[in-house]
C-alpha cells in the first residue's frame, strides 16, 4: 500500500519550554522550506525511478536493497520524529525529517514507472491541492477538526476495501480518488494544527513532516490514476 499516515503527533506542551520559541515568520519559513525540500526529494525520487536505468536495476534485483533500505530508514525516521517531539530536540528532529523526506521517494515511488509528463501533472495537481486545502484549514478550522476522525475511519475502510479488490484483480481508481480527498482533508487539518502549537524549531519540523506525509500520499495516488491511462 502507498498510504502511511503520519503519527499526527501533537507537540508535547511540557517539553515546549525546553526549546526556544521562534518568531511566527521564522516558524512558517522553516516549515515552508522543509516542505519545499520534501517536494524536491519527491520529484527527484519520482524522476529517478521512472528511468530505464532504474527499471534495469529492478529487473536485475540490484535496486531491492535501496527500496527496502529506504523504507526501513523512513520508519526509523518516523519513530525518531516522535521522540524529537517529546524531547523538543532540535538535532533529533532535523535528522528525523531528513530520513522521512529524503529517503521516502526512493523507497516507495519505484512502483510508478511513468512518463515525465505524468509526473509533472501530478506535481502541479498536488501543489494546487496543498495550497487550497491548507488555506481552507486555516480559514475553517472547526470543520476540519470535526471531519478528521471521520476521514481517518474512511481511510482505514478504504484500505481494507483495496486489499480485497487487489486480490480480486479489480481496478482501484475510485479508491484512489477517495484517498486523495481524505488526505486533502488531512492537509487542511495539519495546517490548522501547525498554527496552534508553540512556534519552536522541533514543532516546525514535526508539523512539516506530518504535512509531507499527507502530500506524498496525494501525489502517489494521482500518479496511480495517471498511470492507468497507459
Amino acid at each position: 500500500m502507498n498510504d502511511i499516515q503520519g503519527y499526527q503527533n501533537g507537540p508535547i506542551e511540557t517539553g515546549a519550554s525546553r526549546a526556544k520559541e521562534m518568531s511566527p515568520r521564522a516558524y512558517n519559513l522553516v516549515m515552508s522550506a522543509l516542505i519545499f525540500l520534501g517536494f524536491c526529494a519527491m520529484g527527484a525520487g519520482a524522476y529517478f525511478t521512472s528511468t530505464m536505468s532504474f527499471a534495469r536495476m529492478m529487473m536485475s534485483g540490484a535496486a531491492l536493497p535501496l527500496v527496502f533500505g529506504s523504507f526501513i530508514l523512513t520508519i526509523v525516521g518516523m519513530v525518531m520524529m516522535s521522540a524529537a517531539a517529546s524531547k523538543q530536540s532540535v538535532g533529533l528532529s532535523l535528522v528525523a525529517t531528513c530520513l522521512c523526506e529524503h529517503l521516502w521517494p526512493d523507497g516507495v515511488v519505484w512502483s510508478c514507472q511513468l512518463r515525465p509528463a505524468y509526473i509533472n501533472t501530478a506535481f502541479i495537481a498536488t501543489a494546487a491541492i496543498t495550497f487550497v486545502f491548507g488555506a481552507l484549514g486555516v480559514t475553517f478550522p472547526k470543520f476540519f477538526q470535526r471531519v478528521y476522525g471521520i476521514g481517518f475511519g474512511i481511510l482505514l475502510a478504504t484500505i481494507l476495501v483495496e486489499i480485497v479488490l487487489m486480490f480480486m484483480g479489480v481496478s482501484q481508481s475510485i479508491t484512489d480518488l477517495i484517498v486523495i480527498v481524505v488526505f486533502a482533508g488531512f492537509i487542511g487539518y495539519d495546517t490548522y494544527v501547525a498554527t496552534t502549537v508553540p512556534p519552536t524549531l522541533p514543532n516546525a519540523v514535526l508539523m512539516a513532516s506530518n504535512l509531507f506525509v499527507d502530500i506524498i500520499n496525494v501525489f502517489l495516488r494521482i500518479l496511480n490514476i495517471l498511470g492507468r491511462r497507459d
Side-chain angles (χ1 to χ4, degrees):
M1 303 299 297
N2 290 332
D3 308 300
I4 298 183
Q5 171 64 7
Y7 284 70
Q8 298 302 333
N9 294 316
I12 307 302
E13 298 294 339
T14 57
S17 60
R18 285 179 272 168
K20 183 179 179 180
E21 291 198 1
M22 312 162 63
S23 68
R25 178 177 297 179
Y27 173 77
N28 291 328
L29 181 62
V30 170
M31 274 204 309
S32 300
L34 289 173
I35 292 172
F36 175 75
L37 288 175
F39 263 100
C40 292
M42 190 165 62
Y47 278 108
F48 171 64
T49 56
S50 66
T51 61
M52 289 301 300
S53 297
F54 189 81
R56 286 192 290 269
M57 289 175 62
M58 287 298 297
M59 292 178 64
S60 66
L64 290 179
L66 172 64
V67 169
F68 291 108
S70 295
F71 187 78
I72 291 171
L73 288 175
T74 299
I75 299 298
V76 172
M78 294 173 70
V79 174
M80 290 175 62
M81 187 65 70
S82 178
S86 176
K87 298 178 180 179
Q88 286 288 289
S89 169
V90 174
L92 187 60
S93 61
L94 289 174
V95 172
T97 199
C98 285
L99 290 175
C100 289
E101 291 193 351
H102 298 288
L103 296 175
W104 229 118
D106 294 330
V108 179
V109 190
W110 63 271
S111 60
C112 304
Q113 301 291 322
L114 300 178
R115 292 180 291 178
Y118 285 170
I119 297 174
N120 292 337
T121 300
F123 254 99
I124 294 172
T126 303
I129 291 172
T130 301
F131 177 80
V132 170
F133 279 84
L136 290 174
V138 175
T139 306
F140 304 103
K142 292 184 179 180
F143 170 78
F144 285 93
Q145 282 180 289
R146 288 196 296 266
V147 302
Y148 172 75
I150 298 173
F152 198 76
I154 292 174
L155 177 64
L156 292 178
T158 303
I159 291 174
L160 292 176
V161 170
E162 284 188 317
I163 293 174
V164 175
L165 293 178
M166 180 178 63
F167 284 107
M168 295 176 61
V170 179
S171 175
Q172 302 178 18
S173 296
I174 295 178
T175 57
D176 283 332
L177 290 173
I178 293 173
V179 171
I180 289 172
V181 172
V182 170
F183 274 100
F186 288 162
I187 289 172
Y189 176 80
D190 285 333
T191 302
Y192 154 70
V193 171
T195 66
T196 65
V197 301
T200 64
L201 181 56
N203 284 344
V205 174
L206 175 65
M207 295 298 105
S209 179
N210 280 347
L211 281 166
F212 180 73
V213 171
D214 301 334
I215 291 167
I216 197 170
N217 275 287
V218 171
F219 176 69
L220 289 173
R221 291 298 181 146
I222 293 174
L223 282 181
N224 285 346
I225 293 173
L226 294 175
R228 292 192 180 97
R229 293 181 178 181
D230 290 335

